[in-house]
Amino acid sequence: MSFQNPVFIPGPTNMPEALRKAVDMSTLDHRSSLFGDILHPALEGVKQVLQSPSAEVFVFPSTGTGGWEVALSNTLSPGDKVLVGRNGMFSHRWIDMCNRHGLDVEVIETAWGDALPVDRYRAALAADTGHKIKAVLATHNETATGVRSDIAALRGAMDGENHPALLLVDGVSSIGSMDFRMSDWGVDIAVTGSQKGFMLPLGLAIVGFSPKAIAVVEQAKLPRTFFDIRDMRAGYAANGYPYTPPVGLLNGLKASTDMLLSEGLSNVFARHNRIASGVRAAVSAWGLDLCASSPDAYSDTVSAIYVPEGFDSTALVTHAADKYGVAFGIGMGDVAGKVFRIGHLGCMTDVMALSGIATAEMCMADMGINVPLGSGVAAAQDYYRNSVGSEIKVAA
Ligand SMILES: *Cc1c(COP(=O)(O)O)cnc(C)c1O
């Protein structure tokens, strides 16, 4: 008997059995041609998930944070100016990394809960007549607040100002779950990791470079060795890595991209939207507020939910773990103690989401928060009954 419940943290996400098996491999010689049969389909699969036929994909043994460093260190030089919005803990940490790399960082401070303000990015770009800004950074989906920003509009603002900066985007908690169009949106570097939309264990930084980003790599002066994409590219050309590759994880990545692409990206995105809409229906039935301040900023992968004044959201998350064996996300940074987060991305179905909603209700009732048992569940059931998912038809 296993007492394993699904997790409702926004990464690492639940792993499908098929992917767990794909990762669990006996040792093979990574210098044999067998490895190329894993590596190249995995890279090609990521390109398709990024919706970018022109991207060059690099996969490092690391995490999403390492992916940020890949992006910065391969394209920028000490003292280069970057423009970046801060609207939560993850954008904050990327800014911290920029500072520690000696970049000249112009921060657009944004309320936690709001989407990144495209108009303020545009104003800063318009004021930069000397084109000192070398890169514009944005977090597509701020996991701390459950807020999605409009990357296509940001690219529109850059083009509107004829600004030549690179557009570097953190898609760690959106890629593979929410629509992310690297080519259409003119994203120059897209960063993600293995443990969120790809439903794998932690351990890979997955980074796509546009031809424009590739073109500046030789001029970039920030120091890099382990994360130098030139070494990685030379490795790939010879069916290998510049060091020992994480073969099992790469086999998992190949299987994961196959799984996402056979479900169909539009079906994957629709499933996440449907599951998230059910969670949001529950939150509204509870009479609680999302941290996300407006519907166009709602994330389809994670919902950050304010507990009523006088209650501690961290205590709620601890209680869920201790009493029910269920993991929710705590609030981070400015919203610590104020929000708890329901992660609903990756390997997730309507029925799994209902169990998370029901557990959150039990925890709130246990803590004396005035939420009638069943109210959120009923609202979500109502939503799910009336929006049957394509993947359920496929499975039948
Ligand atoms: C999880 C996450 C990260 C950090 O990824 P790690 O793999 O933990 O290094 C960065 N950005 C966002 C938006 C995330 O959700």
Side-chain angles (χ1 to χ4, degrees), residues 34-368:
L34 284 175
F35 178 62
D37 296 341
I38 294 170
L39 172 67
H40 296 295
L43 298 174
E44 180 56 36
V46 171
K47 234 160 86 162
Q48 291 187 40
V49 171
L50 293 174
Q51 305 190 73
S52 182
S54 61
E56 212 176 315
V57 172
F58 301 96
V59 181
F60 290 87
S62 185
T63 76
T65 304
W68 287 339
E69 191 156 331
V70 171
L72 301 180
S73 65
N74 281 283
T75 57
L76 298 167
S77 300
D80 274 358
K81 185 161 183 183
V82 299
L83 177 67
V84 48
R86 168 159 46 209
N87 64 343
M89 199 64 193
F90 291 92
S91 40
H92 170 73
R93 287 184 181 159
W94 203 8
I95 289 166
D96 176 57
M97 181 183 281
C98 290
N99 283 320
R100 292 207 234 170
H101 276 76
L103 298 170
D104 173 10
V105 188
E106 180 174 344
V107 178
I108 302 174
E109 295 295 350
T110 307
W112 287 37
D114 286 355
L116 294 172
V118 171
D119 52 339
R120 289 172 58 205
Y121 271 94
R122 182 163 187 159
L125 292 166
D128 180 38
T129 48
H131 292 166
K132 287 216 155 16
I133 296 169
K134 298 300 175 207
V136 172
L137 276 56
T139 297
H140 180 214
N141 189 72
E142 182 40 88
T143 318
T145 55
V147 164
R148 173 183 44 190
S149 291
D150 189 344
I151 303 300
L154 181 54
R155 164 50 69 190
M158 294 171 72
D159 290 350
E161 297 303 328
N162 282 317
H163 202 291
L166 295 173
L167 175 57
L168 315 186
V169 178
D170 173 337
V172 180
S173 62
S174 57
I175 288 168
S177 311
M178 284 158 55
D179 198 9
F180 186 96
R181 303 174 182 231
M182 183 172 174
S183 282
D184 285 1
W185 298 349
V187 173
D188 291 303
I189 302 186
V191 176
T192 187
S194 48
Q195 80 277 22
K196 299 197 181 173
F198 289 109
M199 306 169 282
L200 294 167
L202 179 114
L204 301 176
I206 300 166
V207 191
F209 276 59
S210 74
K212 185 175 161 189
I214 293 283
V216 305
V217 169
E218 285 300 331
Q219 296 125 55
K221 298 255 174 349
L222 279 177
R224 66 234 189 236
T225 48
F226 188 83
F227 284 141
D228 197 322
I229 64 161
R230 292 168 299 184
D231 296 338
M232 191 55 91
R233 174 197 260 167
Y236 292 168
N239 270 346
Y241 261 51
Y243 30 74
T244 315
V247 178
L249 281 170
L250 286 162
N251 194 53
L253 187 59
K254 172 176 176 248
S256 165
T257 55
D258 278 350
M259 188 178 273
L260 290 167
L261 295 167
S262 65
E263 183 178 346
L265 289 182
S266 59
N267 293 328
V268 171
F269 304 149
R271 171 168 55 85
H272 281 83
N273 179 261
R274 190 184 65 252
I275 291 170
S277 299
V279 171
R280 292 191 284 261
V283 173
S284 143
W286 293 334
L288 299 181
D289 291 323
L290 289 167
C291 185
S293 58
S294 77
D296 54 341
Y298 289 168
S299 164
D300 284 341
T301 59
V302 53
S303 297
I305 302 155
Y306 279 111
V307 294
E309 201 77 45
F311 293 94
D312 176 7
S313 66
T314 307
L316 185 148
V317 172
T318 305
H319 181 77
D322 291 350
K323 184 163 178 193
Y324 300 111
V326 167
F328 296 110
I330 57 166
M332 309 169 90
D334 288 4
V335 290
K338 297 179 184 162
V339 304
F340 72 100
R341 293 175 300 152
I342 301 182
H344 34 74
L345 74 159
C347 176
M348 184 64 57
T349 64
D350 303 0
V351 168
M352 287 162 83
L354 286 169
S355 74
I357 294 165
T359 308
E361 281 179 357
M362 292 194 285
C363 295
M364 289 191 279
D366 293 347
M367 293 180 72

